[in-house]
Amino acid sequence: MKQIPWAVAGTIAFALVGCTIVAGPPGPPPPSYPPPYGGAAPPPSYSPAPPRGTAETVLDEHGRSVVLEHGPAGDPAVVGCADGHREAFLDVARYPAIAGCLGSWNGRQSLRARPTEQACGDELGPCAAPADLCAVGWHVCGSEGAVGDLRQVSAEECEQAGGGRFAAGISHCKEQHGCAVDPSPQANYGCFERGWCSEPVCCGRDCGQFGLCRDGVWPQHTHIPFGQDQGCGSTESRRAGGVLCCRG
């Protein structure tokens, strides 16, 4: 088993930064959320875990094993990732409009930073901006505030999207006080740089458990990356792992 640094080295790995989640007092019951698939039943062949691609086990900087999965190479315009490989939501036929794309960028950047249109990814090299991980015609999910970008999948599908973790361009609460959520189909959230509820929404099996507010996108199952010190508007790639890209 090899150990790799947290930079591009064939495969991008990411630091799992430990944090202590403190349980808050019980709040009111979560509001009613729109179901995924627009209320229709999932496809008959639905399975919570998407098909596996090529798996590679790497060691993080703390010596812990992380299994990363790489989908088959394809047209970036279809795959959704600029380097032509998905690392989450691997089944393109089942998930034609959302993908997890692994990669790195320098320093802390906003997950809504404008793309430079320089393709990047673990197959191509570091990014100038997080959005450059997404192929042309795709965008970082939630980067325009639309919570519906994420609600096209269920909470379970998000949690089981793939090995690693992948951040969206929205914070996990509607506002920075209380645990404000908007369950409507038109829900629009910000991308806060720091402070209460600023951490981005995360999909993947290595996301952190939850922050103090866990109902923002999916009731009781809205994850954030490990740690509570980096907001959507200022996050490192080692914390985010990669990004979620949505078609359109």
Side-chain angles (χ1 to χ4, degrees):
M1 186 180 297
K2 66 181 181 181
Q3 185 167 13
I4 62 174
W6 303 117
V8 175
T11 300
I12 303 293
F14 32 81
L16 302 183
V17 181
C19 67
T20 300
I21 304 300
V22 180
S32 175
Y33 291 73
Y37 308 109
S45 59
Y46 168 72
S47 171
R52 291 182 178 273
T54 302
E56 181 178 11
T57 301
V58 299
L59 297 178
D60 71 8
E61 63 181 3
H62 302 294
R64 293 175 294 198
S65 296
V66 177
V67 178
L68 303 175
E69 301 166 68
H70 306 275
D75 181 353
V78 176
V79 171
C81 300
D83 65 358
H85 291 265
R86 290 186 178 194
E87 284 78 32
F89 297 109
L90 299 187
D91 190 337
V92 176
R94 183 171 300 282
Y95 303 109
I98 186 169
C101 306
L102 198 63
S104 69
W105 54 86
N106 292 324
R108 293 193 181 193
Q109 295 197 37
S110 171
L111 290 167
R112 292 189 179 179
R114 294 181 62 84
T116 68
E117 300 183 355
Q118 300 177 36
C120 59
D122 67 324
E123 301 292 332
L124 297 177
C127 302
D132 290 330
L133 284 167
C134 301
V136 175
W138 293 64
H139 63 278
V140 176
C141 299
S143 59
E144 296 180 359
V147 182
D149 278 358
L150 297 175
R151 289 180 179 155
Q152 65 178 288
V153 298
S154 68
E156 184 179 26
E157 288 173 299
C158 173
E159 291 172 338
Q160 299 299 323
R165 57 182 179 264
F166 305 86
I170 57 172
S171 295
H172 66 286
C173 297
K174 180 176 175 61
E175 300 169 354
Q176 288 195 279
H177 57 83
C179 288
V181 303
D182 183 353
S184 73
Q186 296 78 32
N188 191 287
Y189 290 5
C191 180
F192 307 119
E193 183 174 344
R194 63 177 65 88
W196 183 258
C197 268
S198 62
E199 299 86 6
V201 177
C202 179
C203 288
R205 292 193 293 273
D206 291 298
C207 293
Q209 287 299 306
F210 306 100
L212 294 177
C213 301
R214 51 195 291 176
D215 296 325
V217 177
W218 301 280
Q220 296 294 297
H221 287 279
T222 302
H223 290 268
I224 61 174
F226 278 84
Q228 296 178 310
D229 60 324
Q230 295 187 22
C232 172
S234 178
T235 192
E236 297 173 313
S237 58
R238 71 171 190 164
R239 178 66 56 84
V243 300
L244 295 169
C245 296
C246 287
R247 186 187 293 276

